[in-house]
Amino acid sequence: MKIVLVGYMGSGKTTIGKLLAKKLKISFLDLDEVIEERLEDSISNIFNGKGEIFFRKKEHEYLNDVLSQKNNFILSTGGGTPCYSGNMDTMLELADYVFYLKISIPGLVKRLIFEKEHRPLIKNIDDGDLPEFIGKHLFERNNFYLKANHIIECDNKDPEALVAEIQGLLA
Ligand code: S3P
């Protein structure tokens, strides 16, 4: 089974993905990690040195590589992955399930305010401006996220409960 998790930065894709993979006994892949390993550099350095367009090209290329492999996996994507180069349609076509991990704007602000540093897109946003930035950004990205096969409401639920909810939706 091929399962993809999408959602905004800080929505818990990696945490949930790892836990779900353990429960289902299939391998876990994180697209950001794939990019970092293949390019032998951190996401922040890639953004700073080569720019976002280069990053998006590589993200698209490696996503296609991962999706075309035969083995089963849980893949956690980057927050922007579904929003570029037809990636969301490719994921819907090649994976068995795409889950959108949905969190409210205040929920995202609460998490991201402490985790801005290694995230190039929000690193330089003042804490006070974060709610407006996230609100606008999410509004732009929602069209893509909402195409997922299932929307998982994540506010105020612990990872175990979320994994159980996702497992309940698998045929
Ligand atoms: C991005 C999210 C990041 C990473 C990159 C761009 C985005 O992944 O891919 O910094 O465009 O939202 P996470 O969602 O894992 O933070």
Side-chain angles (χ1 to χ4, degrees):
M1 199 184 297
K2 294 177 183 174
I3 299 173
V4 178
L5 304 180
V6 302
Y8 200 73
M9 291 174 263
S11 58
K13 296 167 300 233
T14 305
T15 308
I16 303 299
K18 280 185 179 160
L19 204 56
L20 184 62
K22 213 165 149 190
K23 292 261 155 95
L24 297 177
K25 297 189 173 64
I26 55 179
S27 54
F28 170 75
L29 291 166
D30 182 310
L31 190 58
D32 281 342
E33 268 175 30
V34 173
I35 297 169
E36 290 182 327
E37 273 165 24
R38 294 218 199 162
L39 296 178
E40 295 180 346
D41 210 350
S42 69
I43 300 291
S44 291
N45 279 343
I46 300 164
F47 258 77
N48 289 338
K50 303 231 163 110
E52 183 171 355
I53 293 175
F54 173 83
F55 172 82
R56 295 300 172 198
K57 273 192 186 149
K58 291 294 164 191
E59 180 179 52
H60 174 68
E61 184 184 330
Y62 301 155
L63 173 72
N64 284 333
D65 290 350
V66 170
L67 289 173
S68 358
Q69 72 179 43
K70 287 208 179 82
N71 301 344
N72 292 334
F73 58 76
I74 313 281
L75 173 70
S76 113
T77 56
T81 313
C83 317
Y84 296 90
S85 316
N87 290 342
M88 189 63 177
D89 291 333
T90 311
M91 294 190 274
L92 288 165
E93 197 184 315
L94 298 179
D96 298 294
Y97 294 92
V98 180
F99 290 97
Y100 168 31
L101 304 185
K102 184 168 182 248
I103 308 207
S104 63
I105 296 166
L108 288 170
V109 172
K110 225 158 114 185
R111 290 178 185 205
L112 289 171
I113 219 155
F114 300 110
E115 296 178 16
K116 278 176 10 183
E117 278 323 296
H118 62 281
R119 291 188 157 97
L121 291 179
I122 51 169
K123 200 175 151 192
N124 297 319
I125 311 276
D126 288 338
D127 289 356
D129 295 333
L130 210 51
E132 192 188 341
F133 177 86
I134 293 174
K136 284 186 177 158
H137 208 194
L138 205 51
F139 181 75
E140 287 165 17
R141 290 182 164 188
N142 255 339
N143 281 342
F144 299 96
Y145 294 153
L146 293 172
K147 283 175 144 185
N149 301 119
H150 295 284
I151 297 163
I152 308 294
E153 302 280 350
C154 297
D155 283 288
N156 307 316
K157 293 181 191 165
D158 64 34
E160 290 282 348
L162 290 168
V163 166
E165 192 174 329
I166 293 173
Q167 277 188 284
L169 291 165
L170 304 175

